[in-house]
Amino acid sequence: MENRKGPRFSRRFVYNLDHRLTLSRGRNEVRTRSRSIASRFTFRHHRLRFGLYFKMADEEDFSSLPLPDRFTHKIWKVRKAGYEDAAKQFSNSPSEDDPCFRPFLSDPGLWKSAVLDSNVAAQQEGIIALCAFLKYGGRDCCVRTRGHTVTPIVEKCLSSSRAATKQNAVEALLLYIEMDVAGPIVEDILPGLGNKVPKNVAATLNALTQIVHNYGCKVVDPKPILKCLPKAFGAADKNIRAEATNLAVELYRWLREAMKPMFWGDLKPTQQNDLEAQFEKIKAEPPPKQERLLRSQQAAIESAAAGGDEVEEEEGAEEAEDPGEMDAFDLAEPVDVLKKIPPNFHEQLASSKWKDRKEAVDALYQALNVPRIKDSDFGEVTRGLAKCMKDANVAVVTQAAQCIETLAKGLRQGFAKYRTTVMQPIMDRLKEKKTTVADALGGALDGVFLATSLGDCLEDITAYLSNKNPQVKEGTMKFLIRCLRTTREVPSKPAIASICESGKKLLSESSPTLRDGGAEILGTVMKIIGERAMTPHLDGLDDIRKTKVKEYFDTAEVKAKDKPKPAPAPKAAPPAAKKVVGGKKPVAKKAAAAAAPKAPVLPPEEPAPAATPAKPAASKLGMPKPGGLGGLKPPGKRTIAAPGASSPRRAPGGPPVMPDDDAPPPQPRSGLTRGLAGRSLAKPSAAPPQMPPDSPPPASGLTAVERAELDELRAANERLTRQVEDMRQERSKFMTEIQELKNQNAGLIEDHTRDVLSIKAKETQLVRARSDAEATEQVNERLRRELERLKKALSRAEGLGAPSGMGSPGLTSPTHDEAGIYRDSGSASASRNRMSFASTFSEEKENGEIPYPRNKALSPEMRYAGSSASSGRGSPARGFRGVRDDGSETGSGIARERPQSSLPQPSGSSNGQESWQRAAEVTSQLKARIEQMKARQGLARP
């Protein structure tokens, strides 16, 4: 029987019943009397054979092989020993540049085979060696190997049966992130969530939880992880769901409510309730902190440690603020909402029905209600929403304000260009007293501020704080307070001055709410800039108001970084200043030493006593009295000490320098006696008060030239101070003028608005007048038709009565006058009573005397008279007295009573109703005459 890996055996050993060994050659037969004995022999034979083989293998030494060869060796024990030796070499290496790292950097695939080792014991040691390689090898080891090892670790090591392998696999992933960044590592881990084996998916979720727990969501981008959570919650395996819950809870520790829009809608209600219960347990916990730092962060801390503890405190403060900066906007992907806006949005928004406008803004809100909006052209939409702020329906205003808030929060910086379009209409609408509308408008203003800054909004805020409407002023005040609390940038000095002035004005208001608001504004500003910087802005306030401001200062909470923090910088400045001053002192001493030998050369006697008192005497007493004793005494002494005393004040003039050059000749004659007498008699009273200001220069060792320069610099400083003060006054004047111009502009805008409204009212009246004129024309047309029918009836009646001589003596054929009305031509007063019915109607309407509604052109009597006249079957009028048999009238006939016209004439005393009654009477009389004529004709015929 042959052994492929061990030595060849040509003989077989057999135990017989007598326990004798029999050797057989050539034939592979086992002679035995018991089958159990044969099986026992087979087991012992194989044990003997493999024992001999392993003994031979152990005897061979593989430690001399290079580590790369041992990593790929066929024997697992050789590979295991190679992993152990590699880990020792890495841990004992002095630096990242050690040669032990080079073979594995040149061939990163060695680590892939180590991670995927088929032997679990060797695999465990391979993972340990990889951790040591990453820990001691540096960033290059991470970058070159992560593409070969992360995916095999996720597939084979995280779900290993050995606890040490799983623990070291997670450690390797953490080290990969620590060496560089988390993005590529998380990207390679996420495909493990799609593994078909539930155990692997649960292990992958656990690894992600450990990564988020150690590094936090500022290092690890949570967006790709949040996108995969719904799929994990929908898995059938309970272990996967449990690990998904742990991961969601860990993310909630860092993100809070900002994470919910990413996946909350894809969960079942029961899962949401379970997660809410888990979230409630950790809401009271303090904000989490990053437990493991990246190598870049560690290097930054080490470099900052040399700068002092203050930098570490600032970094600690920033780290404390980091968790609160994450919100849904940072996590969400931009959404193009313009495609979701209904196509008839603008048509509905311009509708005259408030329900259509409400439906339009509701549909817009549904489209805009996303965490992040893709930046597009929303100019037309914002203009439409700005017009909605003037809507008479408060429901439309409220919903439009919510749309503005959602759009501003979704666009953030992209909404800044629309601020001028919507901000002023919103602030104009703050006059609304309803709480729901005011809250919606305040939310819209907060959204606008979130997209811009306090400096951008301050101009409008300052303008509306002086509005006449108390509601507008109060709403603007509350908005300013919210801005000061939430801004993260300290306002500029001009902005602070403007805010403080507005707050002071509010302190003098009659309303307690406005006074408290002004104090809160000042207290919040004080919290931002500090008490010391706020002191000049509180000048002029009484103690009661200052106390109120101090109370709000103690309770205010702001997010702006306090500028007084850089105050420690001046502490380092004084040493530098001392060094500079110390460096100048030797120069001054050298200059004094150099000037000392020169001084005795010019004056032969008493240089020192003459020099010290001469400087104040010549410089200060010589100026007010240039022609007195001071002008006679200095000539002898100016040569001794004049260069230092007279140069600072007479250098700009120039001429006083000339006497100093001409003065030396008189010195030997009378300079000593006159100089001493002049100083002792003329200057005892003036010298003592002038010595203290001039005594420091000699103590500092300054020479006369340096003192002159110092005086010149002081004079220049005074001039600059005066110029600065003048410029401040001019600036205050300009600011006052700007404020006045703003007020005038506001007044002009109000006047323009009133003019526009009046023009629109006039246009409305004009439209109504036109409609009334059209109605009047229709009435006139109907009257013309009625009169035409009357004319035809009269002509027909005359034609019937002419042959028999039955014509009316007093009624003649009507004629068509200028006004379009038929009147009797035989009337003597027809020309006097002509008047257009249309003009009469228009005058009555304009004066408010409309005798009938618009939809009724004629009175009932007139319509009845017209119908009877046209049919020829009307009854006689009530006012007609009757007719005799011979044709004579018993009463006053129509021709006698009103021969001039068949229609009522306008009169100043009669109203419109009487005129229509007269017209009805005339019509009824005409019908009666026609009936009489017909009756006579019937009697005359045979």
Side-chain angles (χ1 to χ4, degrees), residues 30 59 66 76 127 142 180 192-193 355 366 376 411 495 499 643 645 719 774 776 790 820 824 829 871 879 882:
V30 178
E59 293 177 355
W76 68 270
I127 290 294
C142 161
D180 190 26
L193 298 177
K355 290 185 177 180
Q366 294 297 329
S376 301
L411 287 176
I499 294 171
R719 289 195 301 272
E774 292 177 358
T776 306
L790 291 175
D824 294 336
S829 61
S871 61

Side-chain angles (χ1 to χ4, degrees), residues 734-748:
F734 291 153
M735 293 296 294
T736 305
E737 293 178 359
I738 290 172
Q739 188 63 32
E740 293 177 356
L741 292 175
K742 287 182 180 178
N743 296 335
Q744 294 178 3
N745 187 23
L748 293 175

Side-chain angles (χ1 to χ4, degrees), residues 828-843:
S829 61
S831 60
R832 180 170 50 87
N833 292 327
R834 286 178 183 176
M835 182 172 286
S836 172
F837 177 76
S839 63
T840 304
F841 177 79
S842 62
E843 291 176 0

Side-chain angles (χ1 to χ4, degrees), residues 301-302 304-306 308-319:
I301 291 176
E302 291 176 359
D309 297 334
E310 298 173 359
V311 179
E312 294 180 359
E313 293 178 359
E314 293 179 0
E315 290 180 355
E318 292 178 359
E319 290 177 0

Side-chain angles (χ1 to χ4, degrees), residues 851 898 904-905 907 909-921:
R898 299 178 183 87
Q905 299 297 324
S907 63
S909 62
S910 62
N911 56 14
Q913 189 66 26
E914 293 177 356
S915 300
W916 287 110
Q917 290 178 359
R918 291 175 183 174
E921 291 176 1

Side-chain angles (χ1 to χ4, degrees), residues 101-123:
F101 297 103
R102 294 176 185 173
F104 302 97
L105 290 174
S106 60
D107 188 8
L110 295 173
W111 291 113
K112 181 177 182 181
S113 62
V115 170
L116 294 175
D117 201 302
S118 58
N119 188 279
V120 291
Q123 184 185 31

Side-chain angles (χ1 to χ4, degrees), residues 768-814:
R768 291 179 180 176
R770 288 176 180 172
S771 62
D772 294 341
E774 292 177 358
T776 306
E777 290 178 357
Q778 294 176 0
V779 171
N780 291 338
E781 186 64 25
R782 285 195 292 271
L783 290 175
R784 289 191 187 97
R785 289 196 297 269
E786 188 69 22
L787 290 175
E788 185 68 23
R789 285 194 297 270
L790 291 175
K791 176 185 175 183
K792 292 179 180 180
L794 290 174
S795 61
R796 190 181 300 110
E798 290 177 356
L800 292 175
S804 59
M806 305 291 290
S808 175
L811 187 63
T812 59
S813 176

Side-chain angles (χ1 to χ4, degrees), residues 474-486:
E474 182 178 351
T476 308
M477 174 201 68
K478 293 179 180 179
F479 173 53
L480 177 58
I481 294 172
R482 294 195 300 271
C483 293
L484 293 173
R485 288 176 178 175
T486 56

